Amino acid sequence: MVCSVSICAGEIFELKAELNSDKKEKKKEAVKKVIASMTVGKDVSALFPDVVNCMQTDNLELKKLVYLYLMNYAKSQPDMAIMAVNTFVKDCEDANPLIRALAVRTMGCIRVDKITEYLCEPLRKCLKDEDPYVRKTAAVCVAKLHDINAQLVEDQGFLDTLKDLISDSNPMVVANAVAALSEIAESHPNSNLLDLNPQSINKLLTALNECTEWGQIFILDCLANYTPRDDRESQSICERVTPRLSHANSAVVLSAVKVLMKFMEMLPKDLDYYGTLLKKLAPPLVTLLSAEPELQYVALRNINLIVQKRPEILKHEMKVFFVKYNDPIYVKLEKLDIMIRLASQANIAQVLAELKEYATEVDVDFVRKAVRAIGRCAIKVEQSAERCVSTLLDLIQTKVNYVVQEAIVVIKDIFRKYPNKYESVIATLCENLDSLDEPEARAAMIWIVGEYAERIDNADELLESFLEGFHDESTQVQLQLLTAIVKLFLKKPTETQELVQQVLSLATQDSDNPDLRDRGYIYWRLLSTDPVAAKEVVLAEKPLISEETDLIEPTLLEELICHIGTLASVYHKPPSAFVEGSRGVMHKRLPARTGSGESTESPDVGTAAGGSAPEAAPSIIPSQGDLLGDLLNLDMAPPTTTGPPPPNTGMQMGGMDLLGGGLDSLVGISHSMGAGFGAAPAVMPASLNAPVGGGLGDLFDLGGGVGMPMGAYIPPKTVWLPAMKAKGLEISGTFARRAGVIQMELILTNKAMSVMTDFAIQFNRNSFGLAPAGPLQVLTPLGPNQTIEVSLPLSTVGPVMKMDPLNNLQVAVKNNIDVFYFSCQYPISMLFVEDGKMERQVFLATWKDIPNDNESQFQIKDCHLNSDAASSKLQGSNIFTIAKRTVEGQDMLYMSIKLSNGIWVLAELRVQAGNPNYTISLKCRAPEVSQCVFQCYEAVLKN
Amino acid sequence: MIGGLFIYNHKGEVLISRVYRDDIGRNAVDAFRVNVIHARQQVRSPVTNIARTSFFHVKRSNIWLAAVTKQNVNAAMVFEFLYKMCDVMASYFGKISEENIKNNFVLIYELLDEILDFGYPQNSETGALKTFITQQGIKGQFQTKEEQSQITSQVTGQIGWRREGIKYRRNELFLDVLESVNLLMSPQGQVLSAHVSGRVVMKSYLSGMPECKFGMNDKIVIDKAGKGGVTNEAGKSDLGGGGSTSGKQSIAIDDCTFNQCVRLSKFDSERSISFIPPDGDYELMRYRTTKDIILPFRVIPLVREVGRTKLEVKVVIKSNFKPSLLAQKIEVRIPTPLNTSGVQVICMKGKAKYKASENAIVWKIKRMAGMKESQISAEIELLPTNDKKKWARPPISMNFEVPFAPSGLKVRYLKVFESKLNYSDHDVVKWVRYIGRSGIYETRC
């Protein structure tokens, strides 16, 4: 791409002369010409000194033009740019506030290191200027300076001044300060810069009523990052934000919706206010659809998310999503998507009538999507299936090529959802066999023929006709054809032996596609060794397809809800997928409902952050890309289109999804390392089991160094990821609970020759929902042979999946070189919460209440503590002694433990004087945890 | 935040380019030209991501405005800003055209510097901007200290949309209720969807800093007042119904949005609309209703295919409002198939023409009173084709203008209080007008 257009020397010379003219008007005209050339991409940097000479002028218009020039070229002429410093300093003290503001605004855009230092003093003055216009401009200037030199801004104390501006009397100054701080905070996720607390929130809410529409957006977006302490606070903020829903500016409305959607999570569902709020949300969302088409598009992409998260809000508003003839295509496609999401038994007749209309429109994409939508309706609303099928048959009769193909693809899905119900239509489908030219449609048709071979008299002929051009077909069709013919053979073995041999040899001998060959061989062996087994395998009953395979994976959906109104919500991708660097990589989450212990949560309230994942998981097939996408985000190709997310490709994620998925990509990346890595996941868990497991008494001698004799027990650091398995990166670490915060303490050592940067960490789903509460703070690059200690705070609100062993944690660490996977085990004691002391009465009742089957006994050998010492030692790890009883020289200690997910564990510890062996009985409603808890007892007591 | 802003002509030549962030390079200008402007048909979204850079674009006639960013910005805000920028430019130099942009490029740069700082939108109210950014050079040197601080306090202040010290000899207010009524009807006359989107547009020429209160026949307010048994003060300052046809007392408003001058928290708590108005033209509110809409016209289509080469179309329109009122600028557009070879039209009223370039019969009627009926019939001859695809039969659409509000909205009062100056609500001359227009008014056939 040509970036600069050449400009002839003569022209430059002429401009030079004019710039140095004595006449003001001539000078101004010359500068205008320079700017005009600059705009179209001509290089006029040669005029730098001459233009800068015009800077000292009383004429504000001329001054602005010179500043514009300066902003563009200062970087390429740093030495000359210094000439401008004096003028800036002088202008910052001008009597006219407009000039002071202009100077401070422009200053921040001069990205030259040498200059920035000179600008600190003027900026400091302007931040405290008497005029609000100057202050609001200076606030933004701090963000500019931070972008150039973050360290300088911190050293100069500008961040504190900026924080003070949040209490400014002028609402616009507040809004700009909030915007600047929010942006700076994004690159320092754990700095607590914004320091949102009820007092500052109150200030923001007050300013919200008074500032410009843009200021309201900054403030609302900032509010959305706050997590209220309880449902009362949450409700009071919601009450003060709802009036914004009537603002004329759609962005204000969407940002308000974001705050409400997020804070609603914390409100109990039986609260009257919750229902009121739900009702209030629908009208403004509908109103967004009367905005300009571009905004409608943004609104629709967001509504798509909102409908998935809270379908009840818009369930009665189906009609407003009907497509208008003149809607731009991008609006039409989005509306269609939402229509299907809202389709229900109550409105299906209307929806179908509409979809049938759409299927006769002009735009091919739109028509295809409409046809597909009819199929999705059939799968979603069982009562409508018959009508949908007959609508589809009508459409097939139109003989419009792409309509027919699309219809056949969806009819295949309908067969899979309702087997043995609509097969009567097969004859009609077969009539259109010849017109199918798209792989997906051909594959669908072949599948149908194979699946119902026994009802189609000439199935063999049909399949044979496809076989002729076998090698020209796409893989999808080839695989489908292979399977279909094998099915046919198993159903009608006598007539089709020749056919099956033909296809097997085509697949195994004449093809170089490994997938195809593998499948061919599998069938071949199956058929030749055990035809009965083959029948069982190939003709097995298929699981019914799920109705909502296109839903966004719940954790991603939650994150996107936190990003309503932003690009992420338009792309339906987390910001990390399209934003470079550290900015916005921090994952946002919805807040958990307060007091969300097991006891308070009724089964149907499971949509709270933590609860939703395990519940929703079985019915949804998450796309494999999502989780991995997060991990590998920086390595992924940039998204080039903004269409809906790619269809999920299936594959239920198992326990090893992270490792398994990673394996593919690793192998793909480097073949030489492939083998080594392939073995890694299988070996690692075994070799890493040891640290926290059973007999590690000998290791603990080393662990004493951590100190805090009465504090929580912290296991010693162990090597989790050896350097040879991670291209030179060695990771060792441990877990600790300090002041109620779970921390993962890591030591990263670079044993490679090159510098490592861009560290990031991600956990796989695990039993207790552990997840990083922030990004991995490795800010400086890690040089060869350097070691860095990092402490990563963890939260327990991540997605949950039961692991085996229970305390197993699979971790992925990424740096500029690659992504590495390892697994480790954490002592369950770090999940023991501080308020785990049970009332005596409750303890007794609970102990009785838990069935005896759930009790398990363990022996702790060689422990030489008396019962009091043991009790106080255990208390350090949040194991609380509730009562002590002495019976026949034997001390019985009754203890309670509460886990971070609300599970209680009750224990009885028997200590006999003189006997180094303790007996411990554990009772818990979830007996799986007992083994882990016992390990903790042992570790703590022996440490 | 917004990293840069570009304006292009229809050929993709850049007219204005202003970069706010270091992460946006000059090549972004070209990327958008190549991938969006030159790729015309393939662009299917107003947001495009090219090499990790996101482009937002809107088009005004044949001018492209593009905002560029590499961050996760507030997308709704970016579009709102682009529209706002168009408004600001239009209010400075009229139509957004290549010529106007080229002639005003210095002004545009100055505006861009003021309304977007480091990619953060700042005060963009034209009322405020015009006090210190003028086309005749900056008044900077002539301003007194008081004037300067007045400007800055207005730009940053709570009432950024109005300046102090406005004086008029005659205090006047013009209020227009502009509604567009949208309809989608099935061939059988069943209403598939109908809604009115309305706007209350004002022109105010008032002295000082007046406090205004606007009241309409909002169902929630009326019901509340009725329950309380209070005779509302609206009676005496009623501005008259403006000739709505229906006798209904109140209307249910689905949703409304307000100009930023309206105190939203007050509306939320008391449902009263109070504000300090901007000077001159502005849009006070927008609203939407879906219940009890008066559909001014009913279209009854009848399309009959006579063999493969002929279509017979008959369309009847019926006006459905008070006979004393007149609808104007009525236009019925009847789509014709692409392979139309000839059309014969007979209509009882107005003029009808077949427009081959638009593939439609356009039937125009200048005026039509309420409760009347009119009819058009046409014979369409078709060229035989072997195109298997059936004609899509686009809906019949209609345009019109009626002198009442199809939603039934009535202004009950608009009160003006200015305590500091000596004029009262009675001294203000107020004009109210109701105009109902067709939005997308379609009947399928």
Side-chain angles (χ1 to χ4, degrees):
Chain A
M1 204 76 24
V2 183
C3 288
S4 56
V5 182
S6 58
I7 179 166
C8 67
E11 213 173 323
I12 292 275
F13 184 78
E14 228 167 76
L15 283 170
K16 218 175 183 103
E18 284 175 40
L19 285 170
N20 291 317
S21 153
D22 295 333
K23 287 188 190 131
K24 271 188 184 168
E25 270 314 301
K26 204 160 190 184
K27 247 186 190 176
K28 199 158 104 185
E29 284 310 310
V31 179
K32 278 190 190 175
K33 279 185 208 163
V34 173
I35 301 288
S37 304
M38 193 174 88
T39 297
V40 294
K42 287 182 187 168
D43 184 8
V44 283
S45 60
L47 295 165
F48 200 90
D50 309 278
V51 177
V52 171
N53 270 338
C54 304
M55 193 166 160
Q56 299 230 10
T57 168
D58 297 336
N59 186 316
L60 202 52
E61 193 183 357
L62 179 57
K63 191 168 239 154
K64 284 185 179 176
L65 288 173
V66 177
Y67 279 177
L68 189 63
Y69 179 88
L70 211 55
M71 284 187 264
N72 252 314
Y73 287 114
K75 220 172 145 187
S76 57
Q77 309 262 347
D79 297 328
M80 303 261 228
I82 252 173
M83 291 161 56
V85 168
N86 260 335
T87 320
F88 281 130
V89 175
K90 219 173 92 197
D91 279 359
C92 279
E93 307 205 335
D94 197 282
N96 187 342
L98 291 171
I99 294 193
R100 293 202 295 277
L102 177 64
V104 78
R105 188 163 64 213
T106 314
M107 252 162 50
C109 302
I110 311 277
R111 304 179 62 93
V112 178
D113 278 339
K114 277 188 222 159
I115 293 190
T116 41
E117 282 165 32
Y118 291 104
L119 303 179
C120 289
E121 276 322 300
L123 176 59
R124 198 186 315 282
K125 266 185 210 144
C126 288
L127 280 167
K128 304 225 158 108
D129 200 283
E130 52 170 20
D131 195 296
Y133 184 73
V134 181
R135 290 201 301 278
K136 73 109 182 162
T137 314
V140 177
C141 188
V142 176
K144 292 179 187 167
L145 200 57
H146 187 271
D147 195 38
I148 304 170
N149 188 342
Q151 197 56 45
L152 184 73
V153 170
E154 278 171 49
D155 296 346
Q156 295 278 337
F158 284 141
L159 294 182
D160 293 322
T161 323
L162 203 52
K163 276 189 206 167
D164 293 343
L165 288 184
I166 290 193
S167 313
D168 199 282
S169 59
N170 184 293
M172 192 151 174
V173 177
V174 179
N176 277 4
V178 167
L181 277 174
S182 303
E183 179 165 345
I184 295 171
E186 257 180 48
S187 43
H188 294 274
N190 288 334
S191 58
N192 200 21
L193 245 187
L194 274 160
D195 187 28
L196 294 175
N197 55 49
Q199 286 77 38
S200 59
I201 290 291
N202 198 28
K203 279 179 205 158
L204 293 184
L205 286 168
T206 311
L208 185 62
N209 286 324
E210 295 166 351
C211 60
T212 65
E213 47 196 325
W214 314 117
Q216 297 185 18
I217 299 168
F218 307 152
I219 292 178
L220 287 168
D221 284 351
C222 170
L223 270 179
N225 291 326
Y226 175 65
T227 308
R229 286 163 309 167
D230 52 28
D231 50 341
R232 296 240 314 274
E233 191 189 3
S234 175
Q235 179 175 347
S236 86
I237 296 175
C238 286
E239 279 166 357
R240 293 178 69 179
V241 167
T242 33
R244 297 299 120 199
L245 294 175
S246 307
H247 203 286
N249 186 314
S250 308
V252 175
V253 176
L254 269 177
S255 291
V257 169
K258 165 166 56 190
V259 174
L260 296 174
M261 283 291 286
K262 199 176 163 193
F263 289 10
M264 251 171 117
E265 286 293 316
M266 295 185 65
L267 300 177
K269 279 201 168 174
D270 45 2
L271 195 71
D272 285 346
Y273 181 70
Y274 179 85
T276 321
L277 197 53
L278 274 183
K279 280 203 200 90
K280 277 192 175 172
L281 276 170
L285 288 174
V286 173
T287 298
L288 290 176
L289 298 184
S290 46
E292 289 83 348
E294 292 88 1
L295 268 173
Q296 277 187 51
Y297 174 72
V298 174
L300 286 165
R301 293 292 283 173
N302 279 286
I303 289 172
N304 198 328
L305 297 173
I306 293 168
V307 164
Q308 289 185 57
K309 180 74 193 160
R310 295 190 179 277
E312 62 270 33
I313 294 177
L314 287 165
K315 67 178 173 204
H316 299 304
E317 303 288 349
M318 168 64 86
K319 276 188 179 180
V320 301
F321 297 103
F322 284 179
V323 169
K324 292 183 190 139
Y325 192 71
N326 293 328
D327 281 336
I329 182 68
Y330 51 83
V331 168
K332 283 185 178 175
L333 293 172
E334 291 306 316
K335 280 187 173 172
L336 202 51
D337 239 2
I338 295 169
M339 278 173 67
I340 303 160
R341 295 213 193 283
L342 290 176
S344 67
Q345 203 184 332
N347 56 26
I348 194 73
Q350 269 185 321
V351 174
L352 268 182
E354 282 293 308
L355 292 176
K356 205 175 166 186
E357 282 289 329
Y358 304 161
T360 60
E361 284 224 25
V362 191
D363 190 286
V364 177
D365 284 351
F366 181 59
V367 171
R368 281 175 182 274
K369 198 161 180 174
V371 176
R372 214 160 263 233
I374 297 174
R376 275 163 70 184
C377 283
I379 289 163
K380 193 168 175 196
V381 185
E382 183 159 5
Q383 292 81 358
S384 75
E386 195 159 337
R387 286 234 290 287
C388 294
V389 171
S390 76
T391 309
L392 287 169
L393 284 178
D394 286 351
L395 290 171
I396 289 177
Q397 297 305 342
T398 63
K399 303 277 176 196
V400 178
N401 187 281
Y402 53 86
V403 173
V404 173
Q405 310 212 40
E406 208 63 46
I408 285 179
V409 172
V410 295
I411 286 180
K412 178 204 75 181
D413 287 342
I414 296 177
F415 282 171
R416 287 213 52 191
K417 171 79 179 175
Y418 309 108
N420 304 318
K421 230 171 156 185
Y422 301 109
E423 281 73 17
S424 52
V425 308
I426 290 176
T428 322
L429 302 186
C430 290
E431 287 167 18
N432 292 287
L433 215 61
D434 301 331
S435 62
L436 308 179
D437 53 11
E438 288 161 26
E440 204 182 352
R442 287 173 83 85
M445 191 66 221
I446 293 170
W447 181 86
I448 292 171
V449 174
E451 188 68 15
Y452 300 101
E454 68 273 26
R455 306 184 198 197
I456 305 171
D457 295 335
N458 59 342
D460 48 345
E461 282 170 36
L462 293 177
L463 292 176
E464 201 172 352
S465 68
F466 281 103
L467 212 53
E468 281 163 19
F470 188 78
H471 289 297
D472 301 328
E473 300 281 2
S474 72
T475 312
Q476 189 185 10
V477 179
Q478 290 175 331
L479 287 169
Q480 212 51 261
L481 195 54
L482 173 61
T483 308
I485 292 179
V486 172
K487 280 182 192 164
L488 174 70
F489 171 70
L490 289 168
K491 288 174 178 173
K492 302 180 183 172
T494 45
E495 311 123 65
T496 56
Q497 197 156 3
E498 201 177 318
L499 193 61
V500 82
Q501 269 167 356
Q502 203 183 337
V503 78
L504 286 175
S505 83
L506 276 172
T508 53
Q509 284 156 29
D510 302 340
S511 167
D512 45 12
N513 180 333
D515 286 347
L516 191 62
R517 288 167 71 120
D518 279 356
R519 196 186 285 189
Y521 280 124
I522 290 171
Y523 283 141
W524 203 322
R525 283 185 200 133
L526 255 177
L527 291 172
S528 54
T529 45
D530 189 352
V532 181
K535 209 162 186 169
E536 270 170 32
V537 172
V538 179
L539 302 179
E541 206 164 301
K542 279 157 213 67
L544 293 186
I545 55 171
S546 108
E547 58 183 58
E548 298 276 328
T549 42
D550 59 323
L551 286 182
I552 294 176
E553 199 254 337
T555 37
L556 177 63
L557 180 62
E558 289 199 349
E559 188 178 355
L560 293 179
I561 290 284
C562 298
H563 288 293
I564 283 179
T566 68
L567 265 179
S569 72
V570 174
Y571 293 150
H572 289 183
K573 284 184 181 140
S576 51
F578 59 91
V579 175
E580 274 166 10
S582 61
R583 242 179 215 152
V585 173
M586 185 167 52
H587 287 255
K588 293 188 181 178
R589 286 194 185 288
L590 292 177
R593 190 157 303 148
T594 42
S596 65
E598 285 181 323
S599 49
T600 56
E601 216 164 304
S602 61
D604 62 330
V605 195
T607 39
S612 67
E615 244 173 80
S619 63
I620 285 157
I621 303 174
S623 85
Q624 194 189 7
D626 289 335
L627 185 66
L628 275 171
D630 289 354
L631 289 171
L632 306 170
N633 59 65
L634 298 182
D635 306 318
M636 285 207 312
T640 44
T641 54
T642 55
N648 299 334
T649 44
M651 239 182 92
Q652 184 77 42
M653 290 214 266
M656 296 290 275
D657 54 356
L658 211 159
L659 299 167
L663 207 62
D664 291 347
S665 61
L666 284 173
V667 173
I669 291 163
S670 81
H671 277 285
S672 58
M673 300 292 280
F677 279 105
V683 175
M684 265 192 283
S687 62
L688 292 170
N689 266 349
V692 202
L696 55 156
D698 42 353
L699 274 172
F700 286 146
D701 300 352
L702 304 166
V706 185
M708 297 173 68
M710 281 306 159
Y713 157 67
I714 299 167
K717 292 200 170 73
T718 45
V719 176
W720 284 336
L721 182 68
M724 55 174 291
K725 283 187 176 153
K727 301 188 183 170
L729 174 67
E730 184 185 82
I731 300 179
S732 55
T734 185
F735 294 89
R737 186 182 183 91
R738 297 187 203 277
V741 180
I742 306 169
Q743 292 189 313
M744 186 179 198
E745 302 191 332
L746 296 160
I747 297 181
L748 307 178
T749 309
N750 181 357
K751 296 193 172 173
M753 301 301 290
S754 57
V755 177
M756 295 180 179
T757 56
D758 301 332
F759 285 93
I761 193 163
Q762 180 95 4
F763 294 175
N764 198 359
R765 294 167 186 229
N766 54 70
S767 315
F768 293 95
L770 282 175
L776 195 60
Q777 288 283 312
V778 186
L779 297 175
T780 47
L782 194 60
N785 281 324
Q786 265 186 350
T787 291
I788 187 169
E789 286 197 42
V790 196
S791 171
L792 178 74
L794 305 184
S795 69
T796 53
V797 294
V800 177
M801 183 172 72
K802 200 175 159 189
M803 301 296 289
D804 189 27
L806 209 58
N807 56 347
N808 196 23
L809 181 66
Q810 296 175 338
V811 183
V813 169
K814 184 193 91 55
N815 61 15
N816 56 331
I817 296 169
D818 209 330
V819 184
F820 309 105
Y821 304 89
F822 63 88
S823 72
C824 55
Q825 295 185 2
Y826 47 88
I828 203 167
S829 63
M830 57 176 220
L831 299 167
F832 297 173
V833 294
E834 277 69 20
D835 63 345
K837 189 159 186 173
M838 221 179 216
E839 290 294 328
R840 270 170 192 243
Q841 299 303 323
V842 183
F843 182 91
L844 267 175
T846 317
W847 183 272
K848 280 184 196 153
D849 201 37
I850 298 176
N852 283 336
D853 296 348
N854 285 8
E855 185 172 348
S856 35
Q857 278 210 351
F858 302 94
Q859 290 274 326
I860 301 174
K861 290 183 177 144
D862 293 327
C863 192
H864 300 282
L865 296 164
N866 66 23
S867 61
D868 288 339
S871 164
S872 67
K873 203 160 189 180
L874 289 167
Q875 178 130 14
S877 293
N878 292 338
I879 302 174
F880 299 95
T881 306
I882 291 165
K884 182 178 157 187
R885 202 152 61 104
T886 311
V887 183
E888 297 165 355
Q890 183 171 260
D891 285 336
M892 320 261 270
L893 296 171
Y894 294 94
M895 303 186 229
S896 72
I897 298 163
K898 189 184 172 190
L899 294 176
S900 59
N901 59 357
I903 295 180
W904 287 91
V905 181
L906 311 184
E908 185 199 53
L909 186 68
R910 267 171 286 176
V911 182
Q912 199 152 19
N915 184 350
N917 294 349
Y918 295 177
T919 310
I920 181 164
S921 304
L922 294 172
K923 255 190 164 185
C924 177
R925 287 211 164 84
E928 305 91 310
V929 301
S930 298
Q931 179 66 33
C932 292
V933 172
F934 159 67
Q935 286 169 7
C936 285
Y937 264 92
E938 196 168 40
V940 173
L941 289 173
K942 288 191 174 174
N943 173 26
Chain B
M1 281 306 114
I2 299 174
L5 224 145
F6 309 127
I7 302 181
Y8 301 85
N9 66 7
H10 66 287
K11 283 184 266 177
E13 291 165 354
V14 64
L15 305 177
I16 297 284
S17 114
R18 176 74 163 90
V19 172
Y20 293 92
R21 296 272 173 147
D22 205 35
D23 54 5
I24 302 299
R26 181 86 206 176
N27 53 358
V29 180
D30 303 313
F32 183 76
R33 174 186 24 247
V34 172
N35 289 290
V36 181
I37 300 182
H38 290 170
R40 269 171 211 172
Q41 290 311 308
Q42 286 97 306
V43 178
R44 308 211 110 193
S45 156
V47 186
T48 322
N49 194 314
I50 306 164
R52 294 203 160 221
T53 309
S54 298
F55 295 82
F56 300 76
H57 74 262
V58 300
K59 257 189 104 175
R60 287 289 180 270
S61 61
N62 54 10
I63 296 294
W64 298 76
L65 285 93
V68 194
T69 183
K70 284 209 163 187
Q71 297 179 27
N72 182 31
V73 297
N74 188 320
M77 184 184 81
V78 176
F79 280 123
E80 283 284 2
F81 177 79
L82 287 174
Y83 302 142
K84 191 69 173 206
M85 206 182 111
C86 293
D87 291 349
V88 171
M89 290 197 292
S91 85
Y92 266 95
F93 53 76
K95 194 172 170 278
I96 296 179
S97 64
E98 181 169 354
E99 196 190 351
N100 278 345
I101 288 172
K102 278 185 171 163
N103 289 339
N104 290 286
F105 83 95
V106 174
L107 171 75
I108 295 175
Y109 276 124
E110 204 175 322
L111 286 169
L112 282 179
D113 198 39
E114 185 59 42
I115 59 179
L116 206 53
D117 190 3
F118 200 41
Y120 289 108
Q122 304 291 306
N123 192 333
S124 45
E125 287 302 312
T126 40
L129 289 172
K130 281 188 173 171
T131 59
F132 66 107
I133 296 181
T134 58
Q135 261 181 303
Q136 294 82 35
I138 297 303
K139 292 192 282 187
Q141 9 331 28
F142 314 112
Q143 284 161 353
T144 64
K145 198 144 191 178
E146 288 76 56
E147 277 172 334
Q148 286 164 5
S149 73
Q150 202 187 334
I151 290 170
T152 58
S153 76
Q154 195 204 333
V155 173
T156 60
Q158 284 187 32
I159 309 165
W161 54 87
R162 189 181 181 90
R163 63 189 167 91
E164 300 253 7
I166 298 172
K167 282 211 177 66
Y168 288 102
R169 286 225 334 250
R170 192 170 129 105
N171 288 302
E172 248 180 324
L173 259 181
F174 297 84
L175 190 153
D176 286 350
V177 176
L178 305 176
E179 295 196 339
S180 84
V181 51
N182 298 278
L183 170 74
L184 183 63
M185 197 178 250
S186 76
Q188 293 75 32
Q190 187 195 3
V191 177
L192 296 173
S193 75
H195 75 273
V196 167
S197 53
R199 304 188 296 145
V200 176
V201 176
M202 312 246 301
K203 252 185 220 164
S204 49
Y205 302 111
L206 300 170
S207 312
M209 287 297 236
E211 175 80 37
C212 296
K213 210 169 167 187
F214 173 70
M216 54 190 177
N217 57 340
D218 175 3
K219 194 161 188 289
I220 297 174
V221 178
I222 306 269
D223 288 358
K224 221 196 279 172
K227 250 179 237 158
V230 188
T231 47
N232 53 51
E233 71 251 271
K236 34 184 193 218
S237 55
D238 196 335
L239 292 162
S244 167
T245 50
S246 90
K248 69 184 158 155
Q249 291 305 302
S250 59
I251 60 160
I253 291 177
D254 286 30
D255 189 36
C256 44
T257 60
F258 297 100
N259 185 289
Q260 61 167 323
C261 67
V262 175
R263 294 189 182 86
L264 293 180
S265 37
K266 209 154 177 185
F267 178 76
D268 196 56
S269 55
E270 303 162 23
R271 222 167 155 93
S272 75
I273 302 166
S274 62
F275 55 99
I276 294 171
D279 196 38
D281 297 358
Y282 59 99
E283 185 180 286
L284 180 67
M285 70 178 284
R286 281 177 185 232
Y287 56 92
R288 184 168 47 83
T289 72
T290 47
K291 291 196 188 67
D292 303 324
I293 293 167
I294 309 153
L295 296 170
F297 286 95
R298 166 86 205 274
V299 177
I300 306 157
L302 198 74
V303 180
R304 210 158 61 93
E305 289 177 36
V306 189
R308 294 205 52 183
T309 57
K310 202 169 156 193
L311 274 181
E312 279 180 15
V313 181
K314 198 173 108 179
V315 176
V316 180
I317 60 168
K318 287 184 177 171
S319 58
N320 175 35
F321 44 89
K322 269 191 206 166
S324 58
L325 298 175
L326 276 180
Q328 295 184 63
K329 300 178 190 166
I330 302 148
E331 185 186 292
V332 182
R333 181 172 288 265
I334 304 160
T336 54
L338 297 173
N339 55 337
T340 302
S341 61
V343 177
Q344 259 118 45
V345 204
I346 310 162
C347 59
M348 308 193 303
K349 217 174 166 223
K351 282 179 190 159
K353 241 189 195 161
Y354 165 63
K355 294 197 173 167
S357 60
E358 296 167 39
N359 287 315
I361 301 168
V362 180
W363 176 25
K364 286 183 178 170
I365 305 172
K366 279 207 181 107
R367 265 180 290 277
M368 187 165 170
M371 300 319 234
K372 289 262 166 43
E373 190 178 308
S374 194
Q375 183 183 323
I376 185 171
S377 39
E379 276 187 18
I380 302 170
E381 272 163 50
L382 305 174
L383 293 168
T385 57
N386 32 10
D387 192 1
K388 272 188 196 160
K389 207 182 145 192
K390 249 178 39 186
W391 176 47
R393 284 205 189 179
I396 295 175
S397 58
M398 227 193 134
N399 289 317
F400 54 80
E401 197 177 296
V402 289
F404 60 87
S407 68
L409 181 131
K410 281 183 197 168
V411 178
R412 286 169 59 224
Y413 56 85
L414 176 62
K415 284 180 280 187
V416 181
F417 309 94
E418 167 53 281
S419 48
K420 285 185 196 147
L421 301 175
N422 54 349
Y423 71 95
S424 73
D425 183 42
H426 295 289
D427 304 329
V428 180
V429 184
K430 300 167 191 167
W431 307 89
V432 179
R433 185 162 62 151
Y434 296 85
I435 301 173
R437 291 199 182 99
S438 51
I440 294 164
Y441 204 84
E442 295 177 338
T443 306
R444 288 183 179 156
C445 58

